[in-house]
Amino acid sequence: MAETLTTTALTLKDIAREAGVSLATVDRVMHNRPGVRPDTVRRVREAIERHSFQPHVAAAELARGRARRFAFVMPSGPNPFMQQIEAYLGEMAGWLAARRLGVEMVATDVFDPSVLAASLEALSGDYDGVAVVALDHPSVRAAINDLVDAGTKVVTLVSDVPSSRRHHYVGIDNIAAGRTAGALVGRLVGQSSGKVAIVAGSQGLRDHAERIFGFNQVMASEFPGLSVLPVLEGRDQDDRSEQVLARLLGEHADIVGLYNVGAGTQGVAKALSDAGRDEVVFVGHDVTVLTRRLLLQGVMDAAISQNPGHEARAAVRVLLALARGEPILREQEKIRIDIVMRDNLP
Amino acid sequence: MAETLTTTALTLKDIAREAGVSLATVDRVMHNRPGVRPDTVRRVREAIERHSFQPHVAAAELARGRARRFAFVMPSGPNPFMQQIEAYLGEMAGWLAARRLGVEMVATDVFDPSVLAASLEALSGDYDGVAVVALDHPSVRAAINDLVDAGTKVVTLVSDVPSSRRHHYVGIDNIAAGRTAGALVGRLVGQSSGKVAIVAGSQGLRDHAERIFGFNQVMASEFPGLSVLPVLEGRDQDDRSEQVLARLLGEHADIVGLYNVGAGTQGVAKALSDAGRDEVVFVGHDVTVLTRRLLLQGVMDAAISQNPGHEARAAVRVLLALARGEPILREQEKIRIDIVMRDNLP
DNA sequence: GGTGTTTTGAGGTACGCAACTCATTTTGAG
DNA sequence: CTCAAAATGAGTTGCGTACCTCAAAACACC
């Protein structure tokens, strides 16, 4: 009836006795320190295995004394999504303090590879872990690898650098996000013909490119009657997004769907309403004060969201687990693609 | 440029010096032990506030010695959702062991108030925390309150008992879930007239009743052209759900939408396909092996999901935070209503 | 057998806090 | 002013690990 999921209550001392060695030797084995004969190592390892011994995380943490420092390298300038991440880190202040974790924000121009790389290099040695919103570029990749080689734990946040040796990526699968957007636009349009517009920040950004790729995939295979117009680039700015979209709306009277890949949402919404085209199915990204209002007003039909709070917390937890040498709860740290409509606004 | 979010590195000793008292007195204040003058209490509290001092969680955990025990009271019998929760707890085994947390599963008949109440009473005194999938019934409420009075931390899981004094509810807002289902059915149907069917387990179950309420709310206000048929009760069983739905489909040729509130999904799907009505928009709950397949096949159009892994982990984290007297990260522990379609299947 | 090197044992300290005891000081009532 | 009660100080122990030193033992090599 009552089934226990955990067992351990042993200490290092028990392992030492079990393996017939002293505490010091067990300690050497546990931390891969030299000076233990291979045969002895094996005996100790076996004793650990046999009881599936786990060091008491509280004791380990206390014993090491030294506090840990993490750095979050984020875009400078006003970006609502990043501000939310920062805000959530602020909310964790108590949690962090109780664990003697120091988290520092480092603002930099993440869109300039050399500047970003320099910022990363500057962190070397001072931090136990670094979370970075990274551009995928050779010099950035090299900077990340240098950090890793120096023993710093590195996670990429929101935007990945898969070719680097970063330990983990905390963010969504952007191709799947684009596919989801495509499925939503297609389904919500609910008719078999018409045109669909895409507004992106830049096709040079990895995440935007991936989203567009996924979007087109679904449109082509599942909604062949809908024709996708060439991608507009709004540089994630409101005014520019508004201009390019307004022109497009003027040229095509039969636009029935719109996918806004990045930011600049305010401008997109304005172009739509100024043109009197509120009936166009409008799917965008992220739940912010603005998109929340647009959803409630019915201007936006759905938002694809990656929970910034979850990303912030996941990044911290992953860095901490990496630093402690603990396994990562992959399922927990996976960032899900949320579909947010008016009625499930968080 | 680099902005620090945390400060603390103080110890109890520093607070004692700061307040001009001894360690013993600080300890008395921290743990609300008697024998300290109100004025002294104030001085110590102020010193703690001033530096926003937080006890080192690792040191505190280590010092208390005793391991913590939590019990999960779950429905007996095969229930995929509950099995998933149990599985996720299993995945946390290492995490739990490293923190010397014992988690035990207690299977019981949660649908029988007296049996459930008795199971809860039996736990009294043995556990630091209890998570329970609870029926909302006076005797269950009383049992929960008794546990709380005995100092045990109690969280309700999946299904709440709001009238009890449980410390926390880990689960979704079921009215909002129903509203979300309504919005999806309405939008995906994409036409202004037709009938919509509802299959529920029982209208006596709190969560089902709430979902139906939310669903009807949205249908009435936003999709007046769609008429909702009387609720079918399938007792969460496949065969019964299939029978009642098959009969209804025979009676109404103009059913365009279907909301399956609880389990019995297999039967619902079978009734639909046997009747050759695959075009009906079908929205249900939870991502299981079955619903995943149905979504991929296009039989189901969307699933409203509450992440069971998140619920399991949140319950453990909340119980631990409660037991330690730590604040709860509400944003983190809030269970979101996920909309899952084919392209964002987790 | 002697020498030098590697491996191991033994032991200690520190980490920050909880929980406790016991002695001492302060306070307030009579 | 006295005495008991209340308040406070001082100190101890233990939690399980990390990290360090020093000495002893085992070993390899000539």
Side-chain angles (χ1 to χ4, degrees):
Chain A
M1 179 141 181
E3 169 198 352
T4 301
L5 287 176
T6 54
T7 50
T8 316
L10 301 178
T11 72
L12 268 189
K13 219 180 305 182
D14 300 307
I15 300 300
R17 184 161 11 89
E18 172 90 15
V21 299
S22 73
L23 263 174
T25 301
V26 177
D27 185 65
R28 290 184 186 105
V29 173
M30 293 279 300
H31 298 87
N32 301 312
R33 271 189 269 274
V36 184
R37 224 173 317 164
D39 185 58
T40 312
V41 172
R42 202 175 40 69
R43 261 169 44 230
V44 174
R45 287 250 162 79
E46 277 174 11
I48 291 174
E49 283 295 311
R50 193 158 38 244
H51 300 299
S52 56
F53 168 79
Q54 292 234 356
H56 190 321
V57 65
E61 204 59 22
L62 184 58
R64 73 187 300 280
R66 217 153 46 75
R68 300 183 198 275
R69 294 177 70 198
F70 297 150
F72 273 64
V73 180
M74 312 269 289
S76 48
N79 180 323
F81 185 76
M82 301 303 166
Q83 282 164 359
Q84 284 185 65
I85 289 194
E86 199 165 335
Y88 285 118
L89 285 175
E91 283 180 20
M92 294 181 76
W95 191 92
L96 294 168
R99 287 158 184 76
R100 299 300 185 266
L101 296 177
V103 173
E104 293 162 38
M105 309 297 304
V106 177
T108 190
D109 182 358
V110 301
F111 293 107
D112 183 326
S114 59
V115 172
L116 176 54
S119 296
L120 288 175
E121 299 285 3
L123 301 177
S124 191
D126 295 337
Y127 294 90
D128 300 282
V130 171
V132 54
V133 179
L135 193 70
D136 194 1
H137 182 278
S139 59
V140 175
R141 183 194 322 156
I144 290 178
N145 288 342
D146 286 350
L147 278 177
V148 171
D149 290 336
T152 304
K153 308 302 177 184
V154 179
V155 306
T156 47
L157 192 59
V158 180
S159 175
D160 195 15
V161 186
S163 58
S164 72
R165 298 205 309 281
R166 88 278 185 280
H167 297 88
H168 201 85
Y169 164 57
V170 174
I172 59 173
D173 175 346
N174 280 303
I175 295 181
R179 291 181 56 88
T180 303
L184 276 171
V185 168
R187 295 293 314 249
L188 293 178
V189 161
Q191 58 191 61
S192 54
S193 70
K195 289 175 182 157
V196 174
I198 300 181
V199 181
S202 155
Q203 294 192 72
L205 291 173
R206 181 183 194 91
D207 48 348
H208 286 203
E210 289 182 345
R211 288 174 186 177
I212 294 169
F213 177 77
F215 186 85
N216 284 327
Q217 231 181 19
V218 167
M219 295 307 283
S221 67
E222 292 184 39
F223 305 98
L226 297 175
S227 71
V228 180
L229 297 168
V231 175
L232 303 175
E233 299 206 348
R235 303 260 174 92
D236 280 358
Q237 294 159 11
D238 288 327
D239 49 355
R240 196 180 154 94
S241 296
E242 182 185 345
Q243 285 167 23
V244 293
L245 179 56
R247 178 157 4 107
L248 195 77
L249 287 170
E251 292 167 3
H252 301 274
D254 52 347
I255 289 179
V256 293
L258 167 63
Y259 176 34
N260 186 35
V261 182
T265 311
Q266 175 102 62
V268 170
K270 186 153 188 306
L272 275 182
S273 66
D274 283 357
R277 303 283 282 280
D278 290 332
E279 82 287 357
V280 170
V281 169
F282 174 16
V283 172
H285 276 268
D286 299 335
V287 176
T288 62
V289 176
L290 173 64
T291 56
R292 169 184 291 274
R293 196 175 67 231
L294 294 175
L295 283 169
L296 287 172
Q297 289 171 346
V299 175
M300 273 185 79
D301 295 275
I304 312 292
S305 162
Q306 46 186 327
N307 187 332
H310 190 178
E311 295 199 331
R313 292 183 293 266
V316 171
R317 279 194 305 255
V318 168
L319 284 177
L320 185 55
L322 287 168
R324 286 179 174 167
E326 285 185 317
I328 293 169
L329 294 175
R330 308 199 74 81
E331 189 59 34
Q332 172 172 212
E333 310 308 354
K334 189 152 122 197
I335 309 298
R336 300 180 60 152
I337 298 169
D338 293 336
I339 299 175
V340 177
M341 298 173 70
R342 188 195 306 182
D343 294 289
N344 69 330
L345 264 172
Chain B
M1 179 140 183
E3 169 196 353
T4 302
L5 288 176
T6 54
T7 52
T8 317
L10 302 178
T11 71
L12 271 188
K13 220 180 305 181
D14 300 307
I15 299 299
R17 184 160 13 87
E18 172 89 15
V21 298
S22 71
L23 265 174
T25 300
V26 177
D27 185 66
R28 291 186 184 104
V29 173
M30 293 279 301
H31 300 87
N32 300 311
R33 276 189 263 276
V36 185
R37 220 174 319 164
D39 185 60
T40 310
V41 171
R42 201 174 41 69
R43 259 169 47 228
V44 173
R45 288 250 161 80
E46 277 173 12
I48 292 174
E49 283 295 309
R50 192 159 38 244
H51 301 301
S52 56
F53 168 79
Q54 293 238 356
H56 191 320
V57 65
E61 202 60 20
L62 188 55
R64 70 188 301 281
R66 209 161 52 77
R68 299 183 197 276
R69 295 178 68 198
F70 297 148
F72 272 64
V73 180
M74 312 268 290
S76 48
N79 179 322
F81 186 75
M82 301 301 167
Q83 283 165 357
Q84 285 187 62
I85 289 193
E86 199 165 335
Y88 284 119
L89 285 175
E91 283 181 19
M92 293 181 77
W95 192 91
L96 294 168
R99 285 158 186 75
R100 301 298 186 266
L101 296 177
V103 173
E104 294 163 35
M105 309 296 305
V106 177
T108 189
D109 183 358
V110 300
F111 294 107
D112 183 326
S114 59
V115 172
L116 175 54
S119 296
L120 288 176
E121 298 285 3
L123 301 177
S124 190
D126 295 338
Y127 294 90
D128 300 282
V130 170
V132 54
V133 179
L135 194 70
D136 193 1
H137 182 277
S139 59
V140 175
R141 183 194 321 157
I144 289 178
N145 288 341
D146 286 351
L147 278 176
V148 171
D149 290 335
T152 305
K153 308 300 177 187
V154 178
V155 307
T156 47
L157 192 60
V158 179
S159 176
D160 195 15
V161 186
S163 59
S164 72
R165 298 205 309 282
R166 88 280 184 279
H167 298 87
H168 201 85
Y169 164 58
V170 174
I172 59 172
D173 175 345
N174 281 301
I175 295 181
R179 292 181 57 89
T180 302
L184 276 171
V185 169
R187 295 292 316 248
L188 293 179
V189 160
Q191 58 192 61
S192 55
S193 70
K195 290 176 182 157
V196 174
I198 300 180
V199 181
S202 155
Q203 295 192 69
L205 290 172
R206 181 184 194 91
D207 48 348
H208 287 202
E210 289 182 345
R211 289 174 185 176
I212 293 168
F213 176 79
F215 186 86
N216 284 327
Q217 230 180 20
V218 168
M219 295 307 282
S221 67
E222 293 184 38
F223 305 98
L226 298 175
S227 71
V228 180
L229 297 167
V231 175
L232 302 175
E233 299 206 348
R235 304 259 171 90
D236 279 0
Q237 294 159 11
D238 289 328
D239 49 355
R240 195 178 154 95
S241 295
E242 181 185 346
Q243 286 166 23
V244 293
L245 180 56
R247 178 155 4 108
L248 194 77
L249 287 169
E251 291 168 3
H252 300 274
D254 53 348
I255 289 179
V256 292
L258 167 64
Y259 176 35
N260 185 36
V261 182
T265 310
Q266 176 102 61
V268 169
K270 185 152 188 304
L272 274 181
S273 69
D274 285 356
R277 304 284 282 280
D278 289 333
E279 82 287 359
V280 170
V281 169
F282 174 16
V283 172
H285 276 268
D286 298 336
V287 176
T288 63
V289 177
L290 173 64
T291 57
R292 170 183 289 274
R293 197 175 66 230
L294 293 175
L295 282 168
L296 287 173
Q297 290 171 345
V299 176
M300 272 184 80
D301 295 275
I304 314 291
S305 163
Q306 48 187 326
N307 187 330
H310 190 179
E311 295 199 331
R313 292 183 293 265
V316 171
R317 280 195 304 256
V318 168
L319 283 177
L320 185 56
L322 287 169
R324 286 177 174 170
E326 284 186 317
I328 294 169
L329 294 174
R330 307 200 74 82
E331 190 60 34
Q332 171 170 213
E333 311 308 353
K334 189 152 122 198
I335 308 298
R336 299 179 61 151
I337 299 168
D338 294 336
I339 300 175
V340 178
M341 297 173 70
R342 187 196 305 183
D343 293 289
N344 69 329
L345 264 172

